[in-house]
Amino acid sequence: MPNAPLRTHWLLLTVLVLTLAGTLLIQGYTQHMFGVGDDAAGSGQGPADRVPAAVAHGGPVIDTAVTPTRTARPGPHTIALTFDDGPDPRWTPQILAVLRRHHVHATFFVVGTEVAAHPALARQILADGNQIGIHTFTHANLGTIPAWQRSLELREAQLALAGATGQTSSLLRPPYSSVNDALSDRDWDAVETAGKHGYLTVLTTLDSEDWQRPGVGAIVANATPHGSAGQILLMHDGGGDRAQTVAALDRLLPQLTARGYRFATVSDAVGVARVVRPAGAADHRLGLALIGTLDASGWVLRILGGLLLAAGVLAVLRAAAVVVAARRHFRRRGRAWGPPVVEPVSVIVPAFNESAGIEAAVRSLLASDHPVEVIVVDDGSTDGTADLVESLRLPYVRVIRQANAGKPAALNTGIAAASFELLVMVDGDTVFEPDAVRALVQPFADPRVGAVSGNAKVANRRGLLGRWQHIEYVVGFNLDRRLFDLGQCMPTVPGAVGAFRRGALLRVGGVSDETLAEDTDLTMALCRDGWRVVYEGGAVAWTEAPASLGALWRQRYRWCYGTLQAMWKHRRAVAATGQAGKLGRRGLLYLLLFQVLLPLVAPVVDVFAVYGLVFLDPVRIVGLWLGFLLLQAVISAYAFRLDGERTGPLWTLPLQQFLYRQLMYLVVIQSVATALAGTRLRWQRMERYGSLTVPPGPAGPAPYVPSNGPAPYVPPAGPAPHQDLSDSWLDEVRGAAGTGDVTYLRSGHTPGLYGGDHEGPGPYGPGPGGGV
């Protein structure tokens, strides 16, 4: 099937990211930028030179839309009872009940975000005959914010009211305002701006100070007028615990009524008509949209919070599991599987245009301290790979040429041509340590073992990209392999360094070409057939990793997608018993949780980090991130110690967390989208760089230098370690390599099916080798 380009899902992802960013901005602005605070904060601060004397000594209701500015105050024995900071789902209904019981109407100055959160309460306020004014959208101090933000605060508050009630109001109480003579110049700027938008600013003359919660008696005393002058009384139905306010109000109303005071709304108290009007159809629709957006953003934030918690729990669980498993596995090092395995091994090297590294790979295999035959299966190379190997005239090396049919077919060709029961499969860009083959085959002393995974290390680890992949191989893949080994659920034997029983391979039909992760598919098939697959960390091989972001993307994309294919193909293992059930209920579940779902939700951590830095406590957010980084560093240092690696490259770990992880997340997203779209992804050949001239590491053999490298190759001193093999066997091997006429277990033509070793699951999303 052709590799149809996927563009729609990237467009959808972009839209999703922008929508999420907008949602978080809305939540951050409405919930964390401002908020209800101490009413004394910000009032009466700064010079008041520009405040007109008529306003500073005038009435509490100010109209700046006319010239000169007019003010008004309630008549004698009249109290305009006002409540700020609501509506609150707990206290507003109780206050409304008290007002109904005493047949009193009041004016409620509502915060826009609270109206959007509790629209039914806003409607109830009006239904009871009370009056509504606005108290800005987020309880922002209008005197300290820029002009554009003042307009935004007023407009959004009005839209919230229009959407919730179908009404608009021209009454405004600026947050943190108090009496007239407390106005500063910047407060006066806000009052003038409000007048230009058609608002009457309503200040106070009497403050109950219930926001300080001084006690019911104190609130009643503060709210009781001295004399007969009309008052605008300030109380609160939101912004905190208002139990004292409710109790004080129930005591205050009958006392003041008995003293001859009457209660009225602000407009009735000062004789202003039509301050609350029906909203226009457009404003009502916009208001409904605003309320819906705020409601949706709240749900999104709650969902993201849940995902964040899930991601954190999964990350901690994985960290604990792999560390405990690695420690137990390390203590089992040097265990005896049975009598030493000394029988010769057939090493199969599938090769397609591998001239850059094939000589180093073959020579390293011949330097093994275990008897081997090397079968290079040239799969239609066009760069002279087969000619190069033949020109070396190396003993115990056969070259089989075939038309290009793909890596699975090349491996099956090698299996059919192998002389021995134990097989090692190695990519053409990989060199082995001298003891790697011997270490790799020792577990076959246990007849239950069908395959063994070796320890692949990054050879070209210079530069940031190389170091990051080196960390990933050591920390992610090797720690996971130790865990899989203990759980008897190994999902992948990497193509770079793995060993198999030939009989086991034949039982499962050889190497399948039904997925792009042929090694994962094969490993899972062996587990389902009842074979144990184990990890031998002492079998070290050095492999080339992608040296560019483009090459890395293509490699990981193929691996990730191939692993998803293999997981789906072997999904019935979940319900199986025995070894197959261990793969299904342990291995596949681990891959699903930690290599698919966790990478998909892990970006939530980064999104929340940015959100927290902007809107929450940045010190706390930075502390949490440093704690997460410290956990990663400790685990990484432990993994490096287990693998005998120097910890120097770990200085790049913070950058890896910032940059490399994001790339891996995108790979998982791309792979999942490809799988859901049903698109068939083509194999993509891995770029070769010829960097396997000097395998790095804390200890190892002499460097392998290809003949076209910077220095000539120096063969190991002394006779070949497997020279005890008879000349007749050698003749037989050479005779079998005389033609390319071989038996295929599978064929099928898929050009260019080479994409490098397949390492298996990793910790940051798609790991080398099909790990997701």
Side-chain angles (χ1 to χ4, degrees), residues 185 363 425 468 535 707:
D185 286 344
R363 289 188 182 277
M425 296 181 185
W468 289 342
Y535 171 58
S707 59

Side-chain angles (χ1 to χ4, degrees), residues 25-331:
L25 283 174
I26 290 172
Q27 277 293 307
Y29 182 86
T30 59
Q31 303 299 322
H32 302 293
M33 185 70 80
F34 299 106
V36 177
D38 186 335
D39 269 13
S43 64
Q45 298 179 1
D49 299 335
R50 292 188 290 104
V51 179
V55 171
H57 303 290
V61 180
I62 305 171
D63 182 5
T64 63
V66 297
T67 303
T69 298
R70 293 185 302 186
T71 67
R73 67 175 69 248
H77 289 95
T78 301
I79 296 178
L81 186 60
T82 64
F83 295 91
D84 286 6
D85 298 345
D88 182 273
R90 180 176 182 182
W91 305 114
T92 301
Q94 295 185 41
I95 288 174
L96 289 174
V98 173
L99 295 177
R100 285 194 298 270
R101 187 161 54 250
H102 294 283
H103 307 290
V104 170
H105 293 148
T107 301
F108 289 77
F109 289 97
V110 294
V111 178
T113 53
E114 296 301 318
V115 171
H118 313 291
L121 282 178
R123 291 191 291 270
Q124 186 62 52
I125 289 171
L126 291 175
D128 283 2
N130 299 294
Q131 194 171 65
I132 275 187
I134 66 171
H135 200 44
T136 73
F137 187 58
T138 65
H139 204 270
N141 189 332
L142 295 178
T144 61
I145 59 178
W148 68 267
Q149 199 170 358
R150 291 175 188 166
S151 298
L152 177 68
E153 285 285 327
L154 299 178
R155 174 61 174 165
E156 297 306 299
Q158 200 68 258
L159 285 178
L161 184 61
T165 66
Q167 303 289 317
T168 63
S169 175
S170 59
L171 298 179
L172 165 70
R173 172 165 287 160
Y176 310 105
S177 62
S178 57
V179 296
N180 291 50
D181 60 5
L183 289 173
S184 65
D185 286 344
R186 62 184 186 181
D187 296 329
W188 177 243
D189 288 340
V191 172
E192 286 190 307
T193 299
K196 293 176 183 177
H197 286 82
Y199 288 99
L200 297 176
T201 298
V202 181
L203 302 180
T204 62
T205 59
L206 192 61
D207 187 355
S208 69
E209 298 186 12
D210 61 340
W211 46 272
Q212 298 190 78
R213 291 191 286 277
V216 174
I219 294 175
V220 171
N222 293 335
T224 300
H226 300 286
S228 60
Q231 306 288 341
I232 293 184
L233 173 61
L234 171 63
M235 301 186 84
H236 295 82
D237 66 326
D241 185 345
R242 299 307 177 204
Q244 293 181 8
T245 301
V246 175
L249 182 66
D250 201 24
R251 184 187 304 177
L252 178 70
L253 295 180
Q255 289 183 5
L256 293 183
T257 300
R259 291 178 54 184
Y261 285 93
R262 75 180 186 93
F263 295 94
T265 64
V266 168
S267 62
D268 288 342
V270 299
V272 179
R274 293 183 58 79
V275 294
V276 177
R277 301 182 181 88
D283 280 354
H284 182 57
R285 288 193 296 268
L286 287 174
L288 290 175
L290 175 63
I291 293 173
T293 300
L294 291 175
D295 188 52
S297 67
W299 276 105
V300 168
L301 197 64
R302 285 189 285 272
I303 292 172
L304 289 180
L307 292 177
L308 176 63
L309 178 62
V313 170
L314 284 176
V316 172
L317 286 177
R318 179 190 176 275
V322 296
V323 169
V324 170
R327 183 174 179 83
R328 290 184 58 189
H329 191 276
F330 184 73
R331 287 176 175 176

Side-chain angles (χ1 to χ4, degrees), residues 392-466:
L392 300 176
R393 300 184 181 278
L394 298 172
Y396 317 127
V397 177
R398 283 189 282 165
V399 177
I400 300 178
R401 299 173 185 257
Q402 67 176 34
N404 181 257
K407 186 176 182 181
L411 289 170
N412 288 326
T413 296
I415 294 170
S419 304
F420 305 112
E421 170 64 13
L422 298 184
L423 309 177
V424 170
M425 296 181 185
V426 56
D427 289 326
D429 64 337
T430 304
V431 295
F432 271 39
E433 297 279 0
D435 61 349
V437 173
R438 175 172 52 80
L440 197 60
V441 299
Q442 294 311 304
F444 289 115
D446 185 340
R448 298 173 299 174
V449 174
V452 182
S453 168
N455 184 352
K457 292 179 177 289
V458 174
N460 51 331
R461 58 179 66 174
R462 294 181 180 178
L464 277 179
L465 194 60

